[in-house]
Amino acid sequence: MFSLLKLHNLKSRIVGPLRQCSQFKTKLYMKTAHLESKKPLDELIKKFAPRLIYNTIVERKVLRSEQLQKNKSFKKVQLQEPIPVTLKYLNDDIHIKEDTPETTSESYESEVVNFPYNSSGHNVETSHEINESQSDPYSPDVATALSEEVQKRYELHQEMKNWMLSYDNYDDSCLGSEGELDINESGVYYGTPDPKSKISNVPCGGCGALLHCKDTAIPGYIPSEIFKNSVAYGGSNLEAIVCQRCHFLKHYNVALQVQVTPEDYPKVLSTIGERRGLVILLVDLLDFPCSIWPGIGEIFGSRTPIIIVGNKVDLLAQDSKDFFKHIRRTLLNSVKLQGFATFNIKDIALISAKTGYGIEDLITKLNSLKRVNGDVYIVGCTNVGKSSLFNALLQSDYCKTQAMDLIQRATTSVWPGTTLNLLKFPIRRPEGYRQYLRHKRLEILEKIETEEQEFRKQQLKVTKNPKYASLIGHIDVTKNPYKNMKSNEEVKDMFTIRDNKYDKGVTKMGINEKSPEFIHSKWCYDTPGVVQPDQIIHLLTTDELLLTLPKQVILPRTFCVKPNSTLFIGGLSRLDYVNGSSSVRLSVFASNELPITICDTGDAEELYEELLGTDLLKVPTGGADRLAKWPKLEMAKEFTITGINWQRSANDIVLSSSGWVALTGKESLQYNFRAWTPEKRGVYLRDCLLPHAVALTGRRVKNSVAYNKYKFFLQ
C-alpha cells in the first residue's frame, strides 16, 4: 500500500506539470478562435498558438479581440432599449443601428440630431461598428503601410543626395538648374577624396577623429570639396564642422563603415596611466557586467583614482526603500569581480545622462576630490552613455563658462562606438564665493525637485503611466550676479571681436588652449568606447537596436514556469528551466518592445527556427539575407539556483544586451537552468539587482502563466 502511494505521488509530480502546460496551450489555442480575420499576423498566431504556452504578441492580440467581442455584445444589448438623445450624449455612448442588406458593418451613415434648447440641426456621423483595422495597431493595411514606407525611403534618399548643402564650405556651383547635385549614379554622393592631401590637426567636434579628405574609410573623413574650402575666403574653419560619419549619424541615423579595430581603442587610452588624473568608469545598469571590460583597468593602473558611475538608472523601476543603496552595493560587487578589487575606487554614483538625474551630485563629488589635480577621463564600453554624460557636463558648472558655447557637442546615437578619439573641455573648479552660490542654488533646486517628486507620485497613482515613475533631474549653471560690478565692466560676448593677442579676429568654434583662460586648465575627456565581446548590440541593425534598447521604464514581466519549459526574449536569448522540485517565478527585465515566448523545451529549437524573423519574435528582423547572417543561439552556461522565498528573488541571469531574468523560488530548494545566447556571449549569474520586484506584481492571470501588471513603488 505504501509503495502504491509513493508511485501515485511520483506520477502526479511528473504528469501534473505536463498536464498543466498542455492545459495552458489548450486555453491559448481556444482563445485564438476570436481571431476571424485572415491577416498575416492572425494566420501566424493560429498556426503556432497550439504549440506555445505563452507569447506576448498572441496575448495582446487575443485580449484585444476578446474586448471587441464584448463591446459588440454590449452594444447589441443597448439596442434593445433605446435611451433618450440627451442621456445618450451625456453618457458618451455610440448609437448603433442594426445591419440591413443595404448597410454593412463597415458603412457610415449621417443623421440629423437636434440637441435640447437648440433650434438648428447638427450632422453627427455615427458608425455602425468600430472598424477593427483602426483599433488594432498590429494589423495595419499592408498596401498603405508599404506605400508609405517606400515613399519615406525615397524622400530620405533624395535628401541624402544633397547632404553637402548643409555645409558652409561647400561650393554649390556644381549644382544643376533644379538645385540637385549633378551625378549620374542613383546612389548617394559622398564627395571626392584626395589621397595626396595632408591630415589636419583639428579633431572632429562630434567624434574626435582628426579631419581629413584622404580616404572615405578612415575616421574623420570629409569630402575634399568641403575640406579645402575651409581656407578659402568666407569659409568656416574646420573646428566648426563635423566629419561625414557624424553628420550621417545625427541627421539620417546611418552609420558609415570605417576602418577601426577593437585593438585601436586601448592604444588611444594608453596615455591615461602616464598622467595623474581621475577616471570616471561609466557602466550601463541595464547591461552589466557585460558593459564592464575586464582589461580596461590595466590601461590606467591600480593607483589611479576611480569613480564608478552607473548610468540609465531612470529606466529601472524602484522596488523598495533601499533601492539606491542596494544598486550601489550590487554594482560595486560586480565591478570588483571584473578585476577592480584592488583598485583605488573613490565613490559610487547613480545617474541618468539622458534625464539629468544625479548629474549635480556627481559634479559635487568630483569637486570634493581636491587631492586629484589632474585631468578627468570618462571611460567605458560602447553604448553606455559616455557622450551623453560629456554633453551634460559641458552644460554645467563643471565646464568653464568661456568654453561652454565654443565646443561642439559629442555625437550621440544608438550605434555603438560613436566617439573615435578624445574630446575634451576645460574644467572649472568652483571655489570661494562661487562655491557658496552653487551651494545656495542646489538648496533651492532640492526643494523644487522634492515638490516635483510629490506631484509625479500623485500623477502616477491617478494615471498609472510609467513615465511618472522615471527619475528626472535638473542641470544648471551657477551665475555670479555681482561679477564685474566693482570695475563697471561688462561681461565679454564670446561671439564678438575680442582684444586678445591670441585671437585672430572673429570668434570661431573651438578654443585656443594657449589663451590665458585655458593655458593652466585641467581637462575632462570623452574617450572612445571599448568594444566588449560579451555584448550582442554589435550584431544588430538600426531597426533591431531601436527595439532592443529600452526607451522608457522597464516593467518586469513575471511568469510561473514549470520544469522542462523554455523562455525566449525576442529572438536574442533563451533560458531553459531544466529541472526542479516545483515551479519557479521568472521576472524578465528587458525592453518592452521585445516579446516574451514560453514553450516546452522539447519544441524550443524547432519553434525558434520557424518563428525567427516573424512578428512573434520581432528581433532579429529582415528578410532571408538578414536571417542567413544571424548567428544561431548556443548553450553558454548551466546554473543551479537556491531559492530564498516567494517574496524575494535569489539571483539574476544576465543574457547579454537583451536583458536579464530574476529567479524566485521556494526557500532552500534548488533549480537548474541553461542559458543560450548568440555565439555564447555575455551570460552571467549575479546578485539580484531588484530583488523585491517580484513582490510588486499583480495577481496571476486566469488560465495563463503570466501575472498582472507591475505595481509601482515610489519613495
Side-chain angles (χ1 to χ4, degrees), residues 216-453:
T216 58
I218 301 177
Y221 167 80
I222 55 176
S224 59
E225 294 87 346
I226 299 172
F227 184 82
K228 295 180 179 179
N229 285 339
S230 62
V231 297
Y233 178 77
S236 300
N237 62 336
L238 291 179
E239 289 84 353
I241 64 177
V242 295
C243 68
Q244 186 186 72
R245 180 176 180 268
C246 289
H247 183 89
F248 275 80
L249 273 172
K250 287 182 177 180
H251 297 282
Y252 308 108
N253 202 20
V254 174
L256 305 180
Q257 295 294 332
V258 293
Q259 295 177 354
V260 177
T261 60
E263 290 77 13
D264 293 334
Y265 290 109
K267 296 178 182 178
V268 179
L269 305 180
S270 60
T271 58
I272 296 180
E274 302 173 1
R275 305 177 183 180
R276 298 179 59 186
L278 173 70
V279 171
I280 299 177
L281 181 60
L282 201 61
V283 180
D284 186 355
L285 291 176
L286 307 182
D287 190 20
F288 76 92
C290 296
S291 59
I292 305 174
W293 190 49
I296 198 172
E298 300 175 359
I299 298 177
F300 42 81
S302 59
R303 295 184 179 181
T304 303
I306 304 173
I307 291 183
I308 308 297
V309 178
N311 190 25
K312 305 181 183 179
V313 69
D314 62 305
L315 299 178
L316 295 177
Q318 301 182 44
D319 65 333
S320 66
K321 293 182 179 180
D322 297 331
F323 172 75
F324 297 102
K325 182 179 179 181
H326 181 77
I327 290 180
R328 289 189 182 95
R329 182 170 59 250
T330 305
L331 178 59
L332 179 61
N333 293 336
S334 294
V335 170
K336 288 182 177 180
L337 290 175
Q338 297 304 310
F340 290 86
T342 59
F343 278 65
N344 186 14
I345 299 177
K346 293 294 185 180
D347 208 338
I348 304 289
L350 303 179
I351 68 165
S352 171
K354 179 181 177 182
T355 65
Y357 179 83
I359 299 296
E360 292 286 4
D361 292 338
L362 176 61
I363 295 173
T364 302
K365 292 179 180 179
L366 292 173
N367 292 333
S368 64
L369 298 175
K370 297 182 179 180
R371 294 183 180 180
V372 180
N373 297 321
D375 298 327
V376 177
Y377 300 87
I378 304 176
V379 177
C381 294
T382 55
N383 206 60
V384 297
K386 297 185 303 299
S387 296
S388 298
L389 177 59
F390 179 84
N391 293 338
L393 295 177
L394 183 59
Q395 294 295 306
S396 69
D397 283 342
Y398 204 58
C399 177
K400 285 193 173 182
T401 310
Q402 298 92 331
M404 190 175 297
D405 296 322
L406 297 179
I407 297 179
Q408 294 200 40
R409 309 296 175 264
T411 301
T412 58
S413 173
V414 294
W415 280 94
T418 305
T419 305
L420 301 176
N421 213 320
L422 296 179
L423 303 175
K424 64 179 181 178
F425 65 79
I427 298 174
R428 179 181 67 183
R429 297 189 183 276
E431 296 179 355
Y433 186 62
R434 185 180 293 276
Q435 180 71 8
Y436 169 77
L437 292 177
R438 170 175 167 79
H439 177 70
K440 288 297 182 181
R441 180 178 66 83
L442 293 182
E443 285 184 346
I444 298 174
L445 181 61
E446 184 179 0
K447 295 179 181 179
I448 295 175
E449 290 181 344
T450 302
E451 294 178 357
E452 288 184 353
Q453 181 71 5

Side-chain angles (χ1 to χ4, degrees), residues 72-83 95-96 98:
K72 291 179 182 179
S73 61
F74 175 75
K75 290 166 187 174
K76 290 181 180 179
V77 173
Q78 293 295 321
L79 288 174
Q80 298 175 1
E81 298 180 1
I83 60 178
H95 180 66
I96 304 176
E98 296 182 356

